[in-house]
Amino acid sequence: MIAEILCVGTELLMGQVLNTNAQFLSRRLSALGITQQHQTVVGDNAQRLEDAYRLALSRADIVITSGGLGPTVDDITKRVAAKVAGKELVLFPEAEEMVRTRFQQYHRNMTLNNLSQAMFTADSTLLMNPNGTAPGAIVPMGDGKVVIHLPGPPCELEPMFTASVEPYLMARSGRALVSRYVRIFGMGESEVDTRLRDLENGENPTLSPYCALGEVQLRATASADTAEKALALLTPLLAEVKARLGNVVYAMEETDGGSLAKTAIETLRARGMTCATCESMTGGKVVAALVDIPGASAVVRAGLVTYQTDTKTILADVPAEVIERFGVVSVETACAMAEGTRKRLGVDIAVSTTGVAGPDGGTEDCPVGTVCVGVSTAGGTSAARLALSGNRERIRTLAMKHALHMLIEKAR
Amino acid sequence: MIAEILCVGTELLMGQVLNTNAQFLSRRLSALGITQQHQTVVGDNAQRLEDAYRLALSRADIVITSGGLGPTVDDITKRVAAKVAGKELVLFPEAEEMVRTRFQQYHRNMTLNNLSQAMFTADSTLLMNPNGTAPGAIVPMGDGKVVIHLPGPPCELEPMFTASVEPYLMARSGRALVSRYVRIFGMGESEVDTRLRDLENGENPTLSPYCALGEVQLRATASADTAEKALALLTPLLAEVKARLGNVVYAMEETDGGSLAKTAIETLRARGMTCATCESMTGGKVVAALVDIPGASAVVRAGLVTYQTDTKTILADVPAEVIERFGVVSVETACAMAEGTRKRLGVDIAVSTTGVAGPDGGTEDCPVGTVCVGVSTAGGTSAARLALSGNRERIRTLAMKHALHMLIEKAR
């Protein structure tokens, strides 16, 4: 079963609105195992919309539209679909009732043009819209194909999809889909790709890499007639990935949206450990990433951003002579920051960052991109010296990720 | 001149990535006065991509692609465009040099497949990529039409568009374009819209609002045959905007990418002031935003993230009896946090945040969304109590923005 998303609205073409509907719909459709090959955006132009419908219906079984269900002359989505189906729009009394009720609830006057929101081709299935005035619809287009009309505002589209469209699609497909997300830190995308290329060519299960700064994520997906059978296809693939990549794999998860910070919080929570941070060049990014994770309050005790040199001594008890002797960017200072913070705040583990993010401040011994990341537990304190590259933002983000990764490794 | 955006990547069809590139590009193209009628997303499939190129080139003069320039077998964007143009990809020595240099900077091994990033049709114009390994290109497709290849990651695509594509498009259209960005905090989008509606209907200059969480940005753009004439069209519009909106306008800038943090750092620098932060529920977001700005080191002395209650006393000298008497989320505690931090770190100004970000932790007196933001200088200490709404992420981000805005207001 192939679906295609067709978003209608000049505001999307002008960039006034970010197309979150396309992401929402495509994510939900893939989770249902429904193939998607194209997404299209067209403006409020009848001829171009008609062409877009004909093209989409020539290659997909289900065309999902978003937007253009309102009462204005610009709202042509239903009218043009009806034309393509060769049918007339007729007033649905129950839809009229929905629209009238909604206007009463919102204490707004209903003008006559609003009745267009209650008009559909006679064979349409109405979709309730509890969050707006325009109902949606499933519209038969012949040959078993359908157009599904959804409203444009995400706060209306998303609940309508979940409540009405998802059940319809699941019943139609009869397939189960299972995915796992493999998160990797410390190996570049092309190295991952080189090691896994043959596995990435599979059809079922599929394995697809996506890269973020300093990280690679793999999505492994299998489909079968039951979830158990799909999982059975997936399990050997995941074991092979792990065997080839080793411990750069820091998480293997059932849902998307993991991160180093999430794994760090989960690891610390599972171990019953508290933590604190002492950051210089990352400037609060490490602690902010940890506190972003719900449940951080049980784990994160405090964070120090010791940005100017003497505040490392004032706040984290770093001996001034360590800084003087080894330099502010040194493994010794990073160790003293982590250890001082751990002791001052009475936590089980503390991490630290100190480095030169640039664009200024580099020296011959300590060029831009030099970063020391330290970690301290009661069992000992250590630090790594890294040579990172890129602009200020990139160096700081990579340093943050290294600190989070060190926290995970040390806590495990 | 008609342009069409063609985003390539299965990760977009699967919904793993939000298509911010389409919005960025379409916004910039409309500001340049370039017509757009369609946007398309296709996956990493050669036949479908070829069809998409042919269709786009049949209706547009300029096709801008994003994504698929990397070294993996999935990265087919250039290869398929070359096929459509009927040409071969050849190795560009200067592009190879760029790719090699980038790998050296990143201290990563360059595997042979990475050379594919340096291959283009012989008549292509290279576009430098200072933020990643894959160069872009402007590729002639016959009949004066071009395909412009841009990398997928927004942090690479956006600077490349600004530095290389915009000048190319302006030269092609023969017009000079001047923009100014007006940044607003403390007035909602609909209120801004009500006050400026008539100005937003202009054709030259244009005035377009874009809203971010808690903020509104206006982009004012004028075009003329010289930059001087364009600026002369813009100046009275900007004066009128300022007159209508008053001091909710916190910055008026020549370039995009301003922020409350940038204005805060600039304001503090201009006044020769140092600052520090003491954050609870924002968890380091305020200090991280400040340190994100180059030049922060002259201004930001340190930041405290006093996440667990007793660390407010340990790190910022907040009297335990203040917390006990007024509660941890109170204007009194926020004041004590700001004042204690200012004194402990010897800075000219300190800001603080304490609140309930949710989803748990709300009480009847102090529901989720209650946030107190404090600010302290030698001249006095004050705090505001806010009732914010939304989820955890929204509440924390809004609280951060209020703290930064308070810093600007107090420092001015």
Side-chain angles (χ1 to χ4, degrees):
Chain A
M1 194 156 65
I2 298 176
E4 189 161 331
I5 297 167
L6 175 57
C7 299
V8 186
T10 302
E11 69 280 10
L12 291 165
L13 290 180
M14 302 287 282
Q16 289 167 317
V17 173
L18 180 62
N19 195 350
T20 57
N21 287 341
Q23 185 186 29
F24 172 83
L25 292 171
S26 53
R27 193 181 274 182
R28 291 299 192 89
L29 290 169
S30 13
L32 290 165
I34 295 173
T35 305
Q36 299 162 77
Q37 298 173 338
H38 302 83
Q39 289 169 6
T40 308
V41 177
V42 283
D44 307 317
N45 173 289
Q47 184 57 53
R48 285 193 284 272
L49 179 56
E50 182 179 334
D51 293 345
Y53 272 124
R54 292 194 193 279
L55 183 61
L57 287 163
S58 75
R59 55 197 184 188
D61 308 298
I62 295 165
V63 177
I64 302 184
T65 69
S66 81
L69 303 187
T72 77
V73 286
D74 279 354
D75 291 308
I76 57 175
T77 308
K78 288 187 300 186
R79 186 157 49 77
V80 175
K83 184 185 173 198
V84 172
K87 292 174 189 159
E88 296 291 317
L89 294 176
V90 297
L91 189 69
F92 273 52
E94 65 269 45
E96 181 182 348
E97 194 51 38
M98 277 185 223
V99 175
R100 284 192 189 280
T101 307
R102 211 61 71 202
F103 270 87
Q104 275 164 14
Q105 282 175 352
Y106 297 164
H107 304 285
R108 281 163 43 196
N109 280 330
M110 195 180 107
T111 51
L112 211 60
N113 57 353
N114 280 297
L115 280 184
S116 68
Q117 296 183 98
M119 297 181 77
F120 299 89
T121 58
D123 53 359
S124 295
T125 306
L126 287 190
L127 306 174
M128 305 287 288
N129 184 356
N131 304 295
T133 56
I138 301 172
V139 182
M141 301 298 287
D143 295 334
K145 299 192 174 195
V146 295
V147 168
I148 302 179
H149 292 307
L150 299 176
C155 62
E156 300 178 28
L157 177 139
E158 296 181 10
M160 189 185 285
F161 186 89
T162 304
S164 307
V165 182
E166 213 159 48
Y168 166 81
L169 294 173
M170 276 203 276
R172 229 183 119 132
S173 82
R175 295 283 287 177
L177 196 88
V178 176
S179 294
R180 290 293 182 273
Y181 300 84
V182 181
R183 302 195 65 94
I184 297 156
F185 182 82
M187 186 182 284
E189 189 196 13
S190 42
E191 176 69 21
V192 171
D193 191 59
T194 303
R195 295 197 189 192
L196 303 183
R197 183 161 303 170
D198 56 316
L199 304 179
E200 290 171 13
N201 291 330
E203 299 235 320
N204 186 26
T206 59
L207 184 69
S208 319
Y210 306 105
C211 62
L213 183 53
E215 290 187 69
V216 181
Q217 185 184 225
L218 302 168
R219 179 186 159 120
T221 300
S223 71
D225 52 6
T226 68
E228 291 67 34
K229 286 185 195 164
L231 187 59
L233 288 171
L234 216 48
T235 307
L237 174 68
L238 293 171
E240 182 63 23
V241 167
K242 184 82 180 77
R244 292 195 195 179
L245 298 183
N247 60 10
V248 298
V249 173
Y250 73 83
M252 226 176 237
E253 297 172 320
E254 293 189 17
T255 52
D256 202 354
S259 64
L260 285 159
K262 181 165 166 276
T263 300
I265 292 290
E266 284 168 359
T267 306
L268 292 168
R269 257 183 115 156
R271 300 273 177 291
M273 292 170 81
T274 57
C275 77
T277 58
C278 183
E279 305 176 58
S280 190
M281 50 84 72
T282 50
K285 273 181 182 289
V286 178
V287 66
L290 290 169
V291 172
D292 269 344
I293 309 300
S297 56
V299 170
V300 181
R301 194 150 150 67
L304 305 174
V305 180
T306 55
Y307 203 52
Q308 291 187 347
T309 301
D310 66 322
T311 65
K312 293 173 178 61
T313 305
I314 297 173
L315 294 171
D317 303 316
V318 176
E321 52 277 18
V322 168
I323 296 174
E324 202 170 313
R325 182 162 166 210
F326 299 102
V328 68
V329 179
S330 62
V331 291
E332 290 81 1
T333 297
C335 283
M337 287 166 73
E339 191 172 348
T341 300
R342 178 175 64 80
K343 289 181 175 165
R344 171 82 76 110
L345 290 158
V347 292
D348 299 310
I349 188 166
V351 285
S352 64
T353 63
T354 174
V356 190
D360 310 315
T363 63
E364 201 172 316
D365 288 348
C366 209
V368 169
T370 307
V371 176
C372 295
V373 182
V375 61
S376 178
T377 65
T381 301
S382 60
R385 188 181 174 98
L386 312 166
L388 306 176
S389 62
N391 61 16
R392 178 180 175 83
E393 178 53 26
R394 183 183 148 90
I395 289 169
R396 295 176 66 235
T397 302
L398 283 173
M400 167 193 78
K401 291 190 174 184
H402 275 279
L404 292 171
H405 192 245
M406 217 151 163
L407 196 58
I408 296 168
E409 293 278 291
K410 190 81 171 189
R412 266 181 180 160
Chain B
M1 197 155 66
I2 298 176
E4 189 160 329
I5 298 167
L6 176 56
C7 299
V8 186
T10 302
E11 69 278 15
L12 290 165
L13 290 179
M14 302 287 278
Q16 288 172 315
V17 173
L18 179 62
N19 195 351
T20 58
N21 288 340
Q23 185 188 30
F24 171 83
L25 293 171
S26 53
R27 192 186 274 186
R28 291 301 192 88
L29 290 169
S30 9
L32 290 164
I34 295 171
T35 305
Q36 300 163 77
Q37 298 174 338
H38 301 84
Q39 288 170 7
T40 308
V41 176
V42 283
D44 308 317
N45 173 289
Q47 184 57 52
R48 285 192 285 271
L49 179 57
E50 183 180 332
D51 294 344
Y53 274 124
R54 293 193 193 281
L55 183 61
L57 287 164
S58 75
R59 53 196 186 189
D61 307 298
I62 296 166
V63 177
I64 301 183
T65 69
S66 83
L69 304 186
T72 76
V73 287
D74 279 352
D75 292 308
I76 57 174
T77 308
K78 290 187 298 185
R79 185 156 52 75
V80 175
K83 184 183 172 203
V84 171
K87 292 173 188 157
E88 295 292 314
L89 294 176
V90 297
L91 188 68
F92 273 50
E94 65 268 46
E96 181 181 350
E97 194 52 39
M98 278 185 224
V99 176
R100 283 193 190 281
T101 305
R102 210 62 71 204
F103 270 86
Q104 274 164 16
Q105 281 175 355
Y106 297 166
H107 305 283
R108 278 165 45 197
N109 280 331
M110 194 180 107
T111 50
L112 212 60
N113 56 355
N114 281 295
L115 279 185
S116 67
Q117 296 183 98
M119 297 183 76
F120 299 90
T121 58
D123 53 359
S124 295
T125 305
L126 288 189
L127 306 175
M128 305 287 289
N129 185 355
N131 304 298
T133 57
I138 301 173
V139 183
M141 300 298 288
D143 295 333
K145 299 193 174 194
V146 295
V147 168
I148 301 179
H149 292 308
L150 300 177
C155 63
E156 300 178 27
L157 176 139
E158 296 181 10
M160 189 183 285
F161 186 89
T162 303
S164 307
V165 180
E166 214 161 45
Y168 166 81
L169 294 173
M170 276 202 268
R172 225 181 123 131
S173 74
R175 299 283 287 174
L177 199 87
V178 175
S179 293
R180 289 293 180 275
Y181 299 85
V182 181
R183 303 195 64 96
I184 297 156
F185 183 82
M187 186 184 282
E189 192 196 12
S190 47
E191 176 68 20
V192 171
D193 193 57
T194 302
R195 295 197 188 192
L196 304 183
R197 187 161 301 166
D198 56 316
L199 304 178
E200 289 170 12
N201 290 330
E203 297 236 320
N204 187 27
T206 59
L207 184 69
S208 319
Y210 304 106
C211 59
L213 184 53
E215 290 187 70
V216 180
Q217 184 183 225
L218 302 168
R219 179 181 159 122
T221 300
S223 72
D225 49 8
T226 69
E228 291 67 33
K229 287 184 195 165
L231 187 58
L233 288 171
L234 215 49
T235 307
L237 174 68
L238 293 171
E240 182 64 22
V241 167
K242 184 80 179 80
R244 292 194 195 178
L245 298 183
N247 61 10
V248 297
V249 173
Y250 72 84
M252 221 177 243
E253 297 172 320
E254 292 189 16
T255 51
D256 202 355
S259 64
L260 285 160
K262 182 163 165 278
T263 301
I265 292 290
E266 285 167 0
T267 306
L268 292 169
R269 255 183 119 157
R271 300 273 178 290
M273 292 171 80
T274 57
C275 78
T277 58
C278 183
E279 306 175 58
S280 189
M281 48 84 73
T282 50
K285 273 182 183 287
V286 178
V287 67
L290 289 170
V291 173
D292 268 344
I293 309 300
S297 55
V299 170
V300 181
R301 195 151 150 65
L304 305 174
V305 180
T306 55
Y307 203 53
Q308 290 186 348
T309 300
D310 66 322
T311 65
K312 292 173 179 60
T313 304
I314 298 172
L315 294 170
D317 303 316
V318 175
E321 52 278 19
V322 167
I323 297 174
E324 201 169 312
R325 184 162 162 209
F326 299 101
V328 68
V329 179
S330 62
V331 292
E332 290 81 2
T333 297
C335 283
M337 289 167 72
E339 190 172 349
T341 300
R342 179 174 64 81
K343 290 182 175 165
R344 169 84 75 113
L345 289 158
V347 292
D348 299 310
I349 188 166
V351 285
S352 64
T353 62
T354 175
V356 190
D360 310 314
T363 63
E364 200 171 318
D365 287 347
C366 208
V368 168
T370 307
V371 176
C372 295
V373 181
V375 63
S376 177
T377 66
T381 300
S382 59
R385 189 182 175 97
L386 311 167
L388 306 176
S389 60
N391 63 14
R392 177 180 174 84
E393 178 54 22
R394 183 185 148 90
I395 290 168
R396 295 177 66 235
T397 302
L398 282 174
M400 168 192 77
K401 292 190 174 187
H402 275 278
L404 292 171
H405 193 247
M406 218 152 164
L407 196 56
I408 296 169
E409 294 278 293
K410 190 81 170 189
R412 268 184 177 156

